[in-house]
Amino acid sequence: MGRTAKMIVNNLYHLTYCTNIHPGDDWRQTFESLEQYVLEVKSKVSPSAPFGIGLRLSNKASEELGQGDNLMDFKAWLVKNQLYVFTMNGFPYGNFHKEPVKDMVHAPDWTTDERVQYTQRLFDQLALLVPEGLSGGISTSPISYRHWHANTTETEEVLKKGAANLAKIVAHLHQIERDTGRYLHLDIEPEPDGLLENSDEVVHFFEKYLLPIAKESMKAGEAVVEDLVHRHINVCYDICHFSLAYEEPEVSFRKFGNAGIQVGKIQVSSALKIIFNEADSEQIWEALALFNEPTYLHQVTEKNGDTVRTYGDLPLVLKDKKDFSELRAHFHVPIFLERFEKLFATQDQIIKVVKYLKSHKVSEHLEIETYTWDVLPAALKTNLSDSIVREMDWFKNTLLAYR
């Protein structure tokens, strides 16, 4: 297993799992989680080779990491244990466990100074942690939450303000690269009911807002600014989220490539897929109800022709139980599952991405992101470390099968 892990992680991709699945309200709790889980996972999936961490830091944890010798002590701990950080999850700003998160996962959004300062601090820390010669990325919110804004005029202003703040991040990352030689990128993560939900909206945002506003605000020639924006603002391709948009990976990747937009990170994740039939209808609804929980938003999507309709949360669908043929639910289920009772998963989308990677190196950063272990139905809950290892092994074997 050590040779396999080294071959995949070090020579082809940097593969990890996102530590947002562990408690991490402050730095003490975050570090204790890393010591408890990451070391155990590494011993099983990469015992003799360096293992990358997909680090999640809340704003409070990041502030505390920057105090005293904490950051240098953490870097020394990484070196001692053959660990390194190449990607961070900078989407959730506050606590992400044991209390309702729902739409507040987007707060503060990209219109605020708080979001800018938090992200800049994360990048300053990542610049010190990422190994020399390796790029580093941070995934982030798709600008804001769609339903916070009452009309098109409000939404337009949010997109403009978000673009202006992202231009500040571009300037910050350009300065870091000039000062340290570290190449870092911010990876925007579209999701249902975010202001950016799919590939078309991402391309539109770049072309109508981000590029023009960056060219106005940054003191450089237009061609230089365009290159800097495309270098430092990338996309986080969350497979679960794009399956909810009913997008085929090949189509999405081609659209981004044609627009000059890079994929900074692929988050390997799977959504629930509900295929209805009259004979099993009651059992299907009962199985779906097991996933109704109060912590996270579980948007549900339905495709009619070329239109994708989004229901804001799972209870809205469970309440009426309309006549559907297929639904997809934003609930990150274990990636090794093809089905659960009467329900299915979008595991096929992961396999399609893997097949595409065989001939297109879309991104070197791969991060498994199943953060819902605490709130899964009881039949799917098991030892957390064993679950992480099972996901890592399944995905490594899938990569090998299509290399």
Side-chain angles (χ1 to χ4, degrees):
M1 183 180 291
R3 287 195 299 272
T4 299
K6 183 176 181 180
M7 178 181 63
I8 293 177
V9 175
N10 288 346
N11 293 345
L12 294 177
Y13 307 103
H14 296 272
L15 170 63
T16 187
Y17 75 95
C18 185
T19 61
N20 66 348
I21 70 177
H22 306 310
D25 183 41
D26 56 23
W27 173 241
R28 179 192 61 78
Q29 189 179 54
T30 299
F31 185 65
E32 287 177 354
S33 294
L34 297 177
E35 283 197 305
Q36 179 179 354
Y37 294 105
V38 172
L39 294 180
E40 182 178 357
V41 170
K42 181 191 183 302
S43 72
K44 295 178 180 178
V45 302
S46 186
S48 59
F51 179 66
I53 297 178
L55 184 63
R56 190 261 158 165
L57 295 174
S58 69
N59 180 64
K60 183 178 181 181
S62 174
E63 287 179 334
E64 294 175 351
L65 178 59
Q67 295 171 359
D69 296 327
N70 287 345
L71 186 57
M72 294 307 298
D73 289 346
F74 179 48
K75 185 173 183 177
W77 180 82
L78 292 170
V79 172
K80 176 184 176 183
N81 291 286
Q82 282 194 299
L83 298 166
Y84 63 100
V85 177
F86 67 92
T87 186
M88 289 184 175
N89 187 333
F91 193 147
Y93 180 92
N95 191 26
F96 197 58
H97 285 273
K98 304 299 184 183
E99 63 183 57
V101 177
K102 296 294 182 180
D103 60 311
M104 295 309 293
V105 71
H106 292 272
D109 68 14
W110 271 104
T111 65
T112 66
D113 291 339
E114 289 86 351
R115 174 62 66 173
V116 174
Q117 292 163 5
Y118 166 57
T119 305
Q120 288 176 333
R121 187 188 325 114
L122 289 181
F123 273 120
D124 291 341
Q125 293 167 341
L126 182 58
L128 182 68
L129 296 174
V130 69
E132 186 174 355
L134 177 62
S135 70
I138 297 175
S139 49
T140 193
S141 156
I143 311 303
S144 187
Y145 182 61
R146 188 177 297 271
H147 297 299
W148 289 346
H149 314 295
N151 52 53
T152 303
T153 301
E154 282 189 19
T155 299
E156 181 96 357
E157 290 306 309
V158 171
L159 291 170
K160 288 178 179 178
K161 181 64 174 176
N165 280 333
L166 287 177
K168 295 178 184 178
I169 298 298
V170 173
H172 189 75
L173 297 184
H174 179 50
Q175 189 63 50
I176 287 176
E177 189 167 16
R178 292 178 62 182
D179 292 344
T180 70
R182 298 292 196 271
Y183 166 47
L184 307 176
H185 44 84
L186 182 67
D187 307 328
I188 298 174
E189 182 181 339
E191 75 165 41
D193 281 339
L195 277 190
L196 307 180
E197 294 189 82
N198 53 51
S199 59
D200 286 337
E201 290 182 354
V202 171
V203 171
H204 179 70
F205 174 71
F206 268 74
E207 292 179 348
K208 183 175 180 180
Y209 300 98
L210 182 54
L211 286 168
I213 289 172
K215 289 173 181 177
E216 288 180 6
S217 62
M218 296 178 66
K219 297 178 181 179
E222 289 193 0
V224 172
V225 172
E226 186 165 339
D227 286 345
L228 289 174
V229 168
H230 282 141
R231 181 167 178 78
H232 293 295
I233 305 296
N234 294 182
V235 169
C236 171
Y237 188 93
D238 186 303
I239 300 174
C240 166
H241 297 174
F242 279 87
S243 71
L244 291 162
Y246 292 82
E247 289 198 25
E248 291 297 310
E250 183 176 354
V251 174
S252 303
F253 292 141
R254 184 170 62 247
K255 287 180 181 179
F256 292 139
N258 290 341
I261 300 170
Q262 298 184 83
V263 177
K265 173 166 66 177
I266 295 175
Q267 282 187 326
V268 182
S269 55
S270 188
L272 277 175
K273 180 163 59 176
I274 307 98
I275 300 174
F276 291 90
N277 64 76
E278 187 173 349
D280 296 329
S281 179
E282 184 176 345
Q283 295 96 320
I284 291 170
W285 283 113
E286 289 175 356
L288 183 58
L290 295 175
F291 290 85
N292 185 22
E293 61 82 33
T295 306
Y296 304 110
L297 268 184
H298 300 296
Q299 304 94 326
V300 180
T301 61
E302 174 192 19
K303 187 173 184 181
N304 291 311
D306 294 330
T307 302
V308 176
R309 178 179 180 181
T310 300
Y311 300 87
D313 205 353
L314 185 54
L316 298 176
V317 175
L318 292 171
K319 179 182 178 181
D320 294 333
K321 297 182 181 179
K322 295 179 181 178
D323 186 18
F324 298 104
S325 58
E326 178 182 336
L327 294 173
R328 296 182 182 183
H330 183 202
F331 197 117
H332 288 224
V333 294
I335 64 172
F336 49 74
L337 284 182
E338 185 178 2
R339 63 182 302 162
F340 171 73
E341 295 187 355
K342 295 292 184 178
L343 308 179
F344 296 85
T346 58
Q347 187 192 76
D348 60 309
Q349 296 297 305
I350 298 175
I351 294 172
K352 287 180 180 180
V353 169
V354 168
K355 289 180 178 179
Y356 191 80
L357 290 176
K358 179 180 178 180
S359 54
H360 305 80
K361 192 171 182 181
V362 177
S363 176
E364 65 178 6
H365 291 181
L366 304 177
E367 180 184 55
I368 296 171
E369 200 211 14
T370 307
Y371 59 81
T372 51
W373 297 104
D374 286 346
V375 296
L376 284 170
L380 293 175
K381 291 182 179 180
T382 185
N383 177 273
L384 182 55
S385 295
D386 291 343
S387 299
I388 297 167
V389 170
R390 185 177 176 187
E391 288 202 304
M392 295 285 294
D393 284 344
W394 179 86
F395 188 65
K396 286 191 297 181
N397 289 334
T398 303
L399 277 173
L400 280 173
Y402 297 103
R403 63 176 179 173

